[in-house]
Amino acid sequence: VAALEALPRVAPVCEQAMALLSNLARGDARCQGAVLQAKAPAVVVQRMRANVAATGVQRFGCRLLAALAGGTAASREAILHAGALAAVCQGLDHHLQASQLQSEGCLCLTLIAGGDGDTSVLQPAWHPASGALYSANVSLRMLPLADVYLPYSRLVAPSFPLGRDRKRVGQGQ
């Protein structure tokens, strides 16, 4: 976390620090607790927002947030409070063709939404204004084989634009 704070705009440093933190967060409860106690979610979200053009920063940030989202309800609440949904969605929106990032980001959103069945922490996060559902829909459509699994899907309202070409759901599919 200290490296992320010391060198906020050096993408390779951010990538490596986030990769190491995500490995630690995949450990037992003590490891996840240490990552949370170091205020990693808030710092990682800040770095993701500051380095939106850096695909690796977005990918490893999503990986770390997914590792935390797969933990306890308290860890999901901490990443939501840090602004993880907005940061993940921003990264997904800016890197539509980066399949590894799209996979990591969708996994993160899935783990936040799925959790342990306690959806109370998600109420404000999944508000339509957050853009989370829109970004998840766009990301799913950009993944390989999305056309196989989602050819006629209507995950968002028909009035929401899809992707950078601004096609509407149901048009040009």
Side-chain angles (χ1 to χ4, degrees):
V1 176
L4 290 171
E5 292 177 325
L7 301 165
R9 298 254 184 211
V10 182
V13 172
C14 291
E15 291 173 23
Q16 291 300 311
M18 290 177 187
L20 291 170
L21 285 168
S22 70
N23 289 340
L24 184 60
R26 285 189 176 99
D28 61 14
R30 285 185 321 145
C31 293
Q32 267 207 355
V35 172
L36 291 172
Q37 189 175 12
K39 308 286 189 233
V43 175
V44 166
V45 165
Q46 290 170 0
R47 295 311 161 252
M48 289 174 74
R49 289 185 178 161
N51 295 286
V52 73
T55 306
V57 171
Q58 301 304 312
R59 178 178 165 215
F60 289 109
C62 287
R63 181 179 291 178
L64 171 58
L65 295 171
L68 292 172
T72 65
S75 63
R76 280 189 300 284
E77 190 170 347
I79 65 172
L80 285 170
H81 181 70
L85 276 179
V88 170
C89 291
Q90 181 182 26
L92 293 175
D93 285 342
H94 280 82
H95 301 280
L96 293 174
Q97 299 301 320
S99 62
Q100 289 180 326
L101 166 59
Q102 294 294 320
S103 294
E104 301 273 358
C106 287
L107 174 63
C108 183
L109 293 175
T110 300
L111 290 171
I112 290 170
D116 59 3
D118 177 14
T119 59
S120 62
V121 297
L122 300 175
Q123 299 307 323
W126 286 104
H127 186 276
S130 74
L133 291 175
Y134 169 74
S135 290
N137 180 56
V138 171
S139 298
L140 285 170
R141 290 178 181 279
M142 297 308 293
L143 289 173
L145 300 178
D147 291 334
V148 173
Y149 296 108
L150 302 169
Y152 303 107
S153 174
R154 294 186 184 274
L155 296 176
V156 295
S159 62
F160 282 20
L162 266 184
R164 300 211 188 277
D165 60 356
R166 303 296 182 210
K167 289 183 183 176
R168 306 268 181 212
V169 173
Q171 294 178 356
Q173 290 185 5

